[in-house]
Amino acid sequence: DAGVIQSPRHEVTEMGQEVTLRCKPISGHNSLFWYRQTMMRGLELLIYFNNNVPIDDSGMPEDRFSAKMPNASFSTLKIQPSEPRDSAVYFCASSLNGNTIYFGEGSWLTVV
Amino acid sequence: SQELEQSPQSLIVQEGKNLTINCTSSKTLYGLYWYKQKYGEGLIFLMMLQKGGEEKSHEKITAKLDEKKQQSSLHITASQPSHAGIYLCGADVTGTYKYIFGTGTRLKVLA
């Protein structure tokens, strides 16, 4: 079975550019999570969805960050405009009814 | 997240030694996960604990959730170099499937 699929795996972009990260959750899962991992702050929950509806976005750093889940099989995390401090690994994860959370391989973002 | 405190932050042990990693919360934990991560890779699920007093084992790794459901420990018996990595605890502290994570414990096992 396919796990959580994220793209791109690596992205290097210039400050000010728009960045879009994509995620395909495990088929049948109804919860989707976006996390950001840095050395300084560890693994932070940015936003999570239940049944495609955003439940808690209190972890989203600022208005430059936005996330959508137009259907059960796709979600995006967008940063516009990007800044160097956004450099991090962004993980998408999914679960079924709060059971085991499965993580994608992550998207490594570098903003120069 | 400061809501979940892990200790120690890092650990270096000699191969064959036992070790324990702790995860503590000031709130009731509705579901507690342990994951392992190697540098540059995603998180690999180890175990999930839900009931107070619950204990689970997988190979040489044992995890417990205390009766009050506010602390968990991960114990590795006879550590091996393959156990090296970052161990993270994650938990639902609100009962709404909002899963947050501790800052992680970096484990190095010397051969």
Coordinates of all heavy atoms in Angstrom, one line a residue, chain A residues 9 31 33 35 37 39 41-43 45 48 50 56 58 91 97-105 108, chain B residues 1 33 35 37 39-45 48 50 86 88 94 96-103 106:
Chain A
R9 N 10.3 16.7 -2.8 CA 11.1 16.2 -1.7 C 12.1 17.2 -1.3 O 12.5 17.4 -0.1 CB 11.9 14.9 -2.1 CG 11.0 13.7 -2.2 CD 10.8 13.1 -0.8 NE 11.9 12.3 -0.3 CZ 12.5 12.4 0.9 NH1 12.0 13.2 1.8 NH2 13.5 11.7 1.2
S31 N -8.0 12.1 8.6 CA -7.3 13.3 9.3 C -6.0 13.5 8.6 O -5.3 12.5 8.2 CB -7.1 13.0 10.8 OG -8.3 12.9 11.5
F33 N -2.5 16.1 8.7 CA -1.7 17.0 9.5 C -0.5 17.6 8.7 O 0.1 16.8 8.0 CB -1.1 16.3 10.8 CG -2.1 15.5 11.6 CD1 -2.5 14.2 11.2 CD2 -2.6 16.0 12.7 CE1 -3.4 13.5 11.9 CE2 -3.5 15.3 13.5 CZ -3.9 14.1 13.1
Y35 N 3.1 19.4 9.6 CA 4.1 19.7 10.6 C 5.3 20.4 10.0 O 5.6 20.2 8.8 CB 4.6 18.5 11.4 CG 3.6 17.8 12.2 CD1 2.7 16.8 11.7 CD2 3.4 18.1 13.6 CE1 1.8 16.1 12.5 CE2 2.5 17.4 14.4 CZ 1.7 16.4 13.8 OH 0.8 15.8 14.6
Q37 N 9.5 20.9 10.9 CA 10.6 20.5 11.8 C 11.8 21.3 11.6 O 12.3 21.4 10.5 CB 10.9 19.0 11.6 CG 11.9 18.4 12.6 CD 12.1 16.9 12.5 OE1 12.2 16.4 11.4 NE2 12.2 16.2 13.6
M39 N 15.7 22.4 13.8 CA 16.6 22.0 14.9 C 16.2 22.7 16.2 O 16.2 22.2 17.3 CB 18.1 22.3 14.6 CG 18.7 21.3 13.5 SD 18.9 19.7 14.2 CE 20.3 20.1 15.4
R41 N 13.3 24.3 17.0 CA 11.9 24.2 17.5 C 11.3 22.8 17.5 O 10.2 22.6 18.0 CB 11.0 25.2 16.8 CG 11.5 26.6 16.9 CD 10.6 27.5 16.0 NE 9.3 27.6 16.5 CZ 8.8 28.6 17.4 NH1 9.7 29.4 17.8 NH2 7.6 28.6 17.8
G42 N 12.0 21.9 16.9 CA 11.5 20.5 16.9 C 10.4 20.4 15.9 O 10.3 21.1 14.9
L43 N 9.5 19.5 16.2 CA 8.4 19.2 15.3 C 7.1 19.9 15.7 O 6.5 19.6 16.8 CB 8.1 17.7 15.3 CG 7.2 17.1 14.2 CD1 7.8 17.3 12.8 CD2 7.0 15.6 14.4
L45 N 3.2 21.4 15.1 CA 2.0 21.2 14.3 C 1.5 22.5 13.8 O 1.4 23.5 14.5 CB 0.9 20.6 15.2 CG -0.5 20.4 14.6 CD1 -0.5 19.4 13.4 CD2 -1.5 20.0 15.6
Y48 N -4.3 21.0 11.2 CA -4.8 19.7 10.9 C -6.2 19.8 10.4 O -7.0 20.7 10.8 CB -4.6 18.7 12.0 CG -5.5 18.8 13.2 CD1 -6.5 17.9 13.4 CD2 -5.3 19.8 14.2 CE1 -7.3 18.0 14.5 CE2 -6.1 19.9 15.3 CZ -7.1 19.0 15.4 OH -7.9 19.1 16.6
N50 N -9.9 17.5 9.6 CA -10.7 16.3 9.8 C -11.7 16.3 8.7 O -12.5 17.3 8.6 CB -11.3 16.2 11.2 CG -10.4 15.6 12.2 OD1 -9.4 15.1 11.9 ND2 -10.8 15.9 13.5
D56 N -7.9 23.1 13.4 CA -7.0 24.0 14.2 C -5.9 24.4 13.4 O -5.0 23.6 12.9 CB -6.6 23.2 15.4 CG -5.9 24.1 16.5 OD1 -5.2 25.0 16.1 OD2 -6.0 23.8 17.7
S58 N -3.9 27.1 14.6 CA -3.3 28.0 15.5 C -1.7 27.9 15.4 O -1.0 28.8 15.9 CB -3.7 27.7 16.9 OG -3.4 26.3 17.3
F91 N 6.5 18.2 7.1 CA 5.9 16.8 7.0 C 4.4 16.9 6.9 O 3.8 17.7 7.6 CB 6.3 16.0 8.3 CG 7.7 15.6 8.3 CD1 8.7 16.2 9.1 CD2 8.1 14.5 7.6 CE1 10.0 15.8 9.2 CE2 9.5 14.0 7.6 CZ 10.4 14.7 8.4
N97 N -9.4 8.3 12.1 CA -10.1 8.4 13.4 C -9.2 8.5 14.6 O -9.5 7.9 15.6 CB -11.1 7.2 13.6 CG -12.2 7.2 12.5 OD1 -12.6 8.3 12.0 ND2 -12.6 6.0 12.1
G98 N -8.1 9.2 14.4 CA -7.2 9.4 15.5 C -6.3 8.2 15.9 O -5.6 8.3 16.9
N99 N -6.3 7.2 15.0 CA -5.4 6.1 15.3 C -4.0 6.4 14.8 O -3.7 7.6 14.6 CB -6.0 4.8 14.7 CG -7.2 4.4 15.4 OD1 -7.2 4.3 16.7 ND2 -8.3 4.1 14.7
T100 N -3.2 5.4 14.5 CA -1.8 5.6 14.2 C -1.6 6.7 13.1 O -2.3 6.6 12.1 CB -1.2 4.3 13.7 OG1 -1.4 3.3 14.7 CG2 0.3 4.5 13.4
I101 N -0.7 7.6 13.4 CA -0.4 8.7 12.4 C 0.7 8.2 11.6 O 1.8 7.8 12.1 CB -0.1 10.0 13.2 CG1 -1.2 10.4 14.1 CG2 0.2 11.1 12.1 CD1 -0.8 11.6 15.0
Y102 N 0.5 8.3 10.3 CA 1.6 7.9 9.3 C 2.2 9.1 8.7 O 1.4 10.0 8.2 CB 1.1 6.9 8.3 CG 0.7 5.6 8.9 CD1 -0.6 5.4 9.3 CD2 1.6 4.6 9.0 CE1 -1.0 4.1 9.8 CE2 1.2 3.3 9.5 CZ -0.1 3.1 10.0 OH -0.4 1.9 10.5
F103 N 3.5 9.2 8.6 CA 4.2 10.4 8.1 C 4.7 10.1 6.7 O 5.1 9.0 6.4 CB 5.3 10.8 9.0 CG 4.9 11.5 10.2 CD1 4.4 10.8 11.3 CD2 5.1 12.9 10.3 CE1 4.0 11.5 12.5 CE2 4.7 13.6 11.5 CZ 4.2 12.9 12.6
G104 N 4.7 11.2 5.9 CA 5.4 11.2 4.6 C 6.9 11.4 4.9 O 7.3 11.5 6.0
E105 N 7.6 11.3 3.8 CA 9.1 11.4 3.8 C 9.5 12.9 4.1 O 10.7 13.1 4.4 CB 9.7 10.9 2.6 CG 9.6 9.4 2.4 CD 10.4 8.7 3.5 OE1 11.6 8.9 3.6 OE2 9.8 7.8 4.1
W108 N 12.0 19.0 2.0 CA 13.1 19.9 2.6 C 13.0 21.2 1.8 O 13.3 21.2 0.6 CB 14.4 19.2 2.3 CG 14.6 18.0 3.2 CD1 13.9 16.8 3.2 CD2 15.5 17.8 4.3 NE1 14.3 15.9 4.1 CE2 15.4 16.5 4.8 CE3 16.5 18.6 4.8 CZ2 16.1 16.0 5.9 CZ3 17.3 18.2 5.8 CH2 17.1 16.9 6.4
Chain B
S1 N 7.1 20.9 21.2 CA 6.1 21.7 21.9 C 6.5 21.6 23.4 O 6.8 20.6 23.9 CB 4.7 21.1 21.7 OG 3.8 21.7 22.6
Y33 N 2.1 8.4 21.3 CA 2.8 7.7 20.3 C 4.3 7.8 20.5 O 4.8 8.8 21.0 CB 2.5 8.2 18.9 CG 1.1 8.0 18.4 CD1 0.2 9.0 18.6 CD2 0.8 6.9 17.7 CE1 -1.1 8.8 18.2 CE2 -0.5 6.7 17.2 CZ -1.4 7.7 17.4 OH -2.7 7.5 17.0
Y35 N 7.8 7.5 18.2 CA 8.3 7.4 16.8 C 9.9 7.4 16.9 O 10.5 8.0 17.8 CB 7.9 8.5 15.9 CG 6.4 8.5 15.5 CD1 5.4 8.9 16.4 CD2 6.1 8.0 14.3 CE1 4.1 8.9 16.0 CE2 4.7 7.9 13.9 CZ 3.8 8.4 14.7 OH 2.4 8.4 14.4
Q37 N 13.2 8.5 14.3 CA 13.5 9.2 13.1 C 15.0 9.1 12.8 O 15.8 9.4 13.8 CB 13.1 10.7 13.1 CG 13.3 11.4 11.9 CD 12.9 12.9 12.0 OE1 12.9 13.5 13.1 NE2 12.5 13.5 10.9
Y39 N 18.2 10.8 10.5 CA 18.4 12.1 9.9 C 18.1 12.0 8.4 O 18.5 11.1 7.7 CB 19.9 12.5 10.0 CG 20.2 13.8 9.4 CD1 19.8 15.0 10.0 CD2 20.8 13.9 8.2 CE1 20.0 16.2 9.4 CE2 21.1 15.1 7.6 CZ 20.6 16.3 8.2 OH 20.9 17.5 7.6
G40 N 17.3 13.0 8.0 CA 16.9 13.1 6.6 C 15.8 12.2 6.2 O 15.4 12.1 5.0
E41 N 15.2 11.5 7.1 CA 14.1 10.6 6.8 C 12.8 11.0 7.6 O 12.8 11.9 8.5 CB 14.5 9.2 7.1 CG 15.7 8.7 6.3 CD 16.1 7.3 6.6 OE1 15.4 6.6 7.3 OE2 17.2 6.9 6.2
G42 N 11.8 10.3 7.3 CA 10.5 10.5 8.0 C 10.4 9.8 9.3 O 11.4 9.2 9.7
L43 N 9.3 9.9 10.0 CA 9.1 9.3 11.3 C 8.6 7.9 11.1 O 7.6 7.7 10.4 CB 8.2 10.1 12.1 CG 8.7 11.4 12.8 CD1 9.1 12.5 11.8 CD2 7.8 11.9 13.9
I44 N 9.2 7.0 11.8 CA 8.7 5.6 11.8 C 8.0 5.3 13.1 O 8.5 5.5 14.1 CB 9.9 4.6 11.6 CG1 10.7 5.0 10.4 CG2 9.4 3.2 11.6 CD1 10.0 4.9 9.1
F45 N 6.7 4.8 12.9 CA 5.9 4.5 14.1 C 6.5 3.3 14.9 O 6.9 2.3 14.3 CB 4.5 4.2 13.6 CG 3.6 3.6 14.6 CD1 3.1 4.4 15.6 CD2 3.3 2.2 14.6 CE1 2.2 3.9 16.6 CE2 2.4 1.7 15.6 CZ 1.9 2.5 16.5
M48 N 1.9 2.7 20.1 CA 0.8 3.6 20.6 C 0.3 3.1 21.9 O 0.1 1.9 22.0 CB -0.3 3.7 19.5 CG -1.4 4.6 20.0 SD -2.8 4.5 18.8 CE -4.0 5.6 19.6
Q50 N -2.7 3.9 24.9 CA -3.9 4.7 25.2 C -4.4 4.6 26.6 O -5.0 5.5 27.1 CB -5.0 4.3 24.2 CG -4.8 4.9 22.8 CD -6.0 4.6 21.9 OE1 -6.4 3.5 21.7 NE2 -6.5 5.6 21.3
I86 N 16.7 9.6 16.4 CA 15.9 10.6 17.2 C 14.6 9.9 17.6 O 13.9 9.4 16.8 CB 15.7 11.9 16.5 CG1 17.0 12.5 16.0 CG2 14.9 12.8 17.4 CD1 16.8 13.7 15.1
L88 N 11.0 10.4 19.2 CA 10.0 11.5 19.5 C 8.7 10.9 20.1 O 8.2 9.8 19.6 CB 9.6 12.2 18.2 CG 10.7 13.0 17.6 CD1 11.0 12.5 16.2 CD2 10.2 14.5 17.5
T94 N -5.7 17.2 23.9 CA -7.0 17.9 23.9 C -8.1 16.9 23.8 O -9.3 17.3 24.0 CB -7.0 18.9 22.8 OG1 -7.0 18.3 21.6 CG2 -5.9 19.9 23.0
T96 N -9.1 15.9 20.9 CA -9.7 16.2 19.6 C -8.8 15.8 18.4 O -8.9 16.3 17.4 CB -9.9 17.7 19.5 OG1 -8.7 18.4 19.6 CG2 -10.9 18.2 20.6
Y97 N -7.9 14.8 18.7 CA -7.0 14.3 17.7 C -6.0 15.3 17.2 O -5.4 15.3 16.1 CB -7.7 13.8 16.4 CG -8.7 12.7 16.7 CD1 -9.8 12.5 15.9 CD2 -8.6 11.8 17.8 CE1 -10.7 11.5 16.1 CE2 -9.5 10.8 18.1 CZ -10.6 10.7 17.2 OH -11.5 9.7 17.5
K98 N -5.7 16.3 18.1 CA -4.7 17.3 17.8 C -3.4 16.8 18.4 O -3.1 16.9 19.6 CB -5.0 18.7 18.5 CG -4.0 19.7 18.2 CD -4.4 21.0 18.9 CE -3.3 22.1 18.7 NZ -3.7 23.4 19.3
Y99 N -2.5 16.2 17.5 CA -1.3 15.6 18.0 C -0.1 16.5 17.9 O 0.2 17.0 16.9 CB -1.1 14.3 17.1 CG -2.0 13.2 17.5 CD1 -3.2 13.0 16.8 CD2 -1.8 12.4 18.6 CE1 -4.1 12.0 17.1 CE2 -2.6 11.4 18.9 CZ -3.8 11.2 18.2 OH -4.7 10.2 18.6
I100 N 0.5 16.7 19.1 CA 1.7 17.5 19.2 C 2.9 16.6 19.6 O 2.6 15.4 20.0 CB 1.6 18.6 20.2 CG1 1.3 18.1 21.6 CG2 0.5 19.6 19.7 CD1 1.3 19.1 22.7
F101 N 4.1 17.1 19.4 CA 5.3 16.2 19.6 C 6.2 16.9 20.6 O 6.3 18.1 20.7 CB 6.0 15.9 18.3 CG 5.3 14.9 17.5 CD1 4.2 15.2 16.8 CD2 5.7 13.6 17.6 CE1 3.5 14.2 16.1 CE2 5.1 12.6 16.9 CZ 3.9 12.9 16.1
G102 N 7.0 16.1 21.3 CA 8.1 16.6 22.1 C 9.3 17.0 21.2 O 9.2 16.8 20.0
T103 N 10.3 17.5 21.8 CA 11.4 18.0 21.1 C 12.4 16.9 20.7 O 13.3 17.1 19.9 CB 12.2 19.0 21.9 OG1 12.5 18.5 23.2 CG2 11.4 20.3 22.0
R106 N 18.0 12.5 21.1 CA 18.9 12.0 20.1 C 19.8 10.9 20.8 O 20.4 11.2 21.8 CB 19.8 13.1 19.6 CG 19.1 14.2 18.9 CD 20.0 15.3 18.4 NE 19.3 16.3 17.7 CZ 19.1 16.3 16.4 NH1 19.6 15.3 15.7 NH2 18.3 17.2 15.8

